[in-house]
Amino acid sequence: MTTRTLQFKIYRYDPDKDQKPYMQDISVEVDSTDRKLLDALVKLKAVDDAISFRRSCREGVCGSDALNINGKNGLACLTDLNTFPEGKPIVLRPLPGLPVIRDLIVDMTQFFKQYHSIKPYLINNDPPPERERLQSPEDREELNGLYECILCACCSTACPSFWWNPDKFVGPAGLLAAYRFIADTRDQATSERLDNLEDPYRLFRCHTIMNCVDVCPKGLNPTLAIGKIKAMMVKRAI
Amino acid sequence: MNPTVRKFDAVIVGAGGAGLRAAIQLSESGFKTAVITKVFPTRSHTVAAQGGVAASLGNSEEDNWHWHMYDTVKGSDWLGDQDAIEFMCKKANECVIELEHYGMPFDRLDNGRIYQRPFGGHMSNFGEKPVRRSCAAADRTGHAMLHAMYQRNVKANTQFFVEWMALDLVRDAEGEVLGVTAMDMETGEIVVFHAKATIFATGGAGRIYYSSTNAFINTGDGLGIAARAGIPLEDMEFWQFHPTGVAGAGVLITEGVRGEGGILRNAQGERFMERYAPNAKDLASRDVVSRAMTTEINEGRGCGPNKDFVLLDITHLDPATIMKRLPGIREIAIQFAGVDCIKEPIPVVPTCHYQMGGIPTNYNGQVVIPGKRSQNEIVPGFYAAGECACASVHGANRLGTNSLLDLLVFGKSAGETAVETLKLSPKAHKDLPQSEIDRALARVDRLNSQKDGANVHETRLAMQRTMQKHAGVFRFADLLKEGVEKILEVQKDVQRTEIKDKSKVFNTARIEALELDNLIEVAVSTMISAEARKESRGAHVRNDCPDTAECPDGRDDKNWLKHSLWYKEGNRLDYKSVKLTPLTVETIALKKRAY
């Protein structure tokens, strides 16, 4: 089996012993069965068990292993090792803009707080019918590109507006979720949802920089969803 | 120093489908409930389920729960308890409709009803021909379901303890469960969750095998914890190998691909399933398809330079159908197999996927163990649901889409039973026995102070390779015997694992070592139960138990129509009878299984 050595520069910080964070140079040998960055990270951890990162499904659906990889946010499990230029170390940092707990693990409290703030659940006050609420295939299609979000936070932590006002701006992930419910024909709270975003910061801090679209590992387009919410705001104002 | 004690009415361990469903029941009933979870709830492994959830809604064609029940009993190779199976199949429609009301984005038919697709082993009219029973949201059903249930819990204000790992049960001298000890991963602090109801929904343990569709977190924590507290584990020899894991990567490719018309082919391009299951073909049940694939590979008809996989072909399907019904599969094929399945077939191999066994329960979600009065005495205060539990609805082989149904029905049922019991229970919590708290602390202390011990990574690898080699798709008497010795050797290393990193904050090395303590209990119980069961049934097929007149397909109903129970103490095996009497209908009589 052919093996090769990968060079890394990894952000390290253990609050138990480090005064401040530092970048560690470290290398690891991988073989042809190691296809993804996560495979290499797992090997690294076998060498140095103190290196800390989150991971679970290893197939891009759980959203655990979002990192800043060579300056761009992405999932370690979906990043192919062959895409890295040879001879240059792979630079790994925690997602930007959130407090670091340890190494590559960030505190996501603020991110989830914003997600929760948009009431991420279906609101329908009619008594539930005995069978399913009907929805046409066309109406259901409106949810495509919205419901698939895995809450990995790649988008929000790539957004300068979110870096600047993480407590006031909902951020791309939360706004995508808001539009997911607005777009659902079964939801009755559109007006309440728009009220909830009617504020100089919560929605309108999006300046269509589109970093969110650039980094989304699921190929989703939060900017488009945000644009649709903005259009609804304008429409109801006139 | 004694850990902090926090009091709740109920504590749920695990926030996947079963845990979240139970939590909805408890939170909406107003009981003070804590949900402990190793990962943020939407990262639980339910998220990876793809093809659908079974319910005989009959949206596309005639269907009913009697047929679903028949298929499930037959799929289980008659090892499933027929009372629990009737309960589950009857409740399916109600539970799926509830999910829709929670907001789950099911795909739709033209008339606005939930879209349903065919799946392996699901047939109409008592096994006649495939029926569309799997309710699906594209090929992301688990994701859509888990998020919908998490969202419902946000609405219900459920209290989550995210990134906390449960350590051990607290059981008093009478055997009643009084809660769990758990570690806050962010700080390393240990807390006792003192509760009147403890519900385990900790999922599977597929990581005992080297090649698995399961997530890293699927380490059988609930099973390890239960086993250490003296609870037996039921039917652990039965592991499902999913026919279609991506060769090399192990990532799951849903059976829904075959439901939408996908075909398995060998190196000659032959649709080989026609020979093994003339009626159901590629939609035979999973154990049957996995064995057929393994036989093709073993007999030299595998594909690739090493002839070690077969091909899953959907190139004949309309690309629009693939993009609409199987978009996630296309992404996975490109990412992990390097092929675009619209143009090329996907290389697949049978891959460890699901544990049919688990913590023994009844259909109310209550944990039951043999006692003086009966084989199924309730353990007061203790409930289990989902993959970690054994109700037993899957018996010796689970049908696809019955796992999402299992976690809905029994998550809800465990929650309901807990609510009813809590309403009648005294206000005050029972006293905590100190010895039980010390037991959890001692395990962590041992790990922290271990010197010259075994490496966690290497020990886990040794376990996984042993399981893969000695307890795979086909089982061999001599390999099983040797496997028992080997896995007990690995167990000795697990008892002396050492971590270099002793820090407190988010110490994932410590978490992995504690997870290995749980994995090894699952691995040992599997190997010992498998070695002992001298018959072929469902997913457990032995070379020394072939097809005979007395034992068709090697199934020995006279001696082995019974559930295994493995006890950690002394690796003791016990057995209990299969419940062949359903709740209201007639027994589905034993017969030879054919698809």
Side-chain angles (χ1 to χ4, degrees), chain B residues 363-439:
Chain B
Y363 61 82
N364 294 317
Q366 295 161 305
V367 175
V368 289
I369 59 174
K372 286 194 186 91
R373 280 158 288 132
S374 93
Q375 287 184 313
N376 293 295
E377 283 185 19
I378 291 163
V379 179
F382 196 25
Y383 307 80
E387 191 170 343
C388 75
C390 182
S392 140
V393 284
H394 309 304
N397 170 67
R398 172 174 72 77
L399 295 187
T401 69
N402 267 354
S403 58
L404 291 186
L405 180 59
D406 169 347
L407 61 82
L408 285 180
V409 170
F410 296 107
K412 180 178 180 181
S413 165
E416 279 177 342
T417 313
V419 165
E420 292 313 310
T421 312
L422 282 169
K423 281 181 188 163
L424 302 173
S425 69
K427 254 195 150 153
H429 285 63
K430 284 178 86 177
D431 288 339
L432 290 169
Q434 183 62 37
S435 60
E436 285 285 274
I437 297 164
D438 293 344
R439 192 162 63 88

Side-chain angles (χ1 to χ4, degrees), chain B residues 109-268:
Chain B
L109 296 163
D110 285 339
N111 65 7
R113 296 207 177 277
I114 294 170
Y115 169 76
Q116 296 187 279
R117 61 161 60 109
F119 238 79
H122 290 281
M123 319 282 271
S124 65
N125 202 18
F126 306 102
E128 207 173 276
K129 61 176 199 317
V131 68
R132 282 166 276 184
R133 187 178 287 151
S134 166
C135 310
D139 53 3
R140 305 188 180 98
T141 311
H143 173 277
M145 180 186 279
L146 189 66
H147 280 250
M149 283 205 274
Y150 175 66
Q151 291 160 353
R152 183 71 180 199
N153 274 289
V154 172
K155 190 178 181 196
N157 276 318
T158 301
Q159 191 177 358
F160 288 100
F161 290 79
V162 176
E163 297 182 326
W164 283 66
M165 183 182 181
L167 296 175
D168 274 296
L169 269 185
V170 180
R171 263 184 108 185
D172 70 8
E174 287 85 55
E176 180 165 349
V177 170
L178 304 177
V180 284
T181 45
M183 180 186 283
D184 179 355
M185 289 159 64
E186 187 177 329
T187 62
E189 188 198 359
I190 294 174
V191 168
V192 183
F193 287 78
H194 192 184
K196 297 177 205 166
T198 302
I199 303 180
F200 271 21
T202 58
R207 286 275 159 177
I208 62 168
Y209 284 90
Y210 182 70
S211 169
S212 167
T213 64
N214 284 200
F216 282 100
I217 55 169
N218 288 21
T219 54
D221 298 336
L223 283 82
I225 292 171
R228 284 192 295 275
I231 307 282
L233 301 182
E234 180 174 346
D235 291 342
M236 291 306 293
E237 61 271 46
F238 297 101
W239 281 84
Q240 178 162 85
F241 286 78
H242 194 290
T244 56
V246 172
V251 175
L252 175 69
I253 300 283
T254 176
E255 191 169 302
V257 169
R258 282 170 283 139
E260 295 289 345
I263 290 169
L264 290 164
R265 296 188 191 281
N266 61 21
Q268 284 127 39

Side-chain angles (χ1 to χ4, degrees), chain B residues 330-392:
Chain B
R330 183 164 177 253
E331 277 173 40
I332 287 173
I334 292 170
Q335 277 281 349
F336 293 96
V339 300
D340 181 348
C341 58
I342 289 177
K343 298 182 200 120
E344 285 175 86
I346 311 166
V348 290
V349 286
T351 306
C352 170
H353 184 56
Y354 189 88
Q355 101 203 349
M356 268 70 77
I359 301 166
T361 68
N362 57 24
Y363 61 82
N364 294 317
Q366 295 161 305
V367 175
V368 289
I369 59 174
K372 286 194 186 91
R373 280 158 288 132
S374 93
Q375 287 184 313
N376 293 295
E377 283 185 19
I378 291 163
V379 179
F382 196 25
Y383 307 80
E387 191 170 343
C388 75
C390 182
S392 140

Side-chain angles (χ1 to χ4, degrees), chain A residues 164-217:
Chain A
W164 204 242
N165 294 110
D167 54 335
K168 296 193 187 106
F169 174 50
V170 172
L175 290 169
L176 186 86
Y179 188 65
R180 177 250 172 274
F181 289 100
I182 291 171
D184 196 324
T185 50
R186 299 169 296 173
D187 190 90
Q188 297 174 328
T190 296
S191 150
E192 186 188 317
R193 293 184 190 281
L194 293 178
D195 290 346
N196 176 287
L197 299 173
E198 184 94 68
D199 163 293
Y201 287 92
R202 286 179 61 74
L203 169 70
F204 289 102
R205 279 286 133 165
C206 168
H207 300 307
T208 56
I209 300 164
M210 294 184 71
N211 280 3
C212 54
V213 184
D214 190 37
V215 297
C216 177

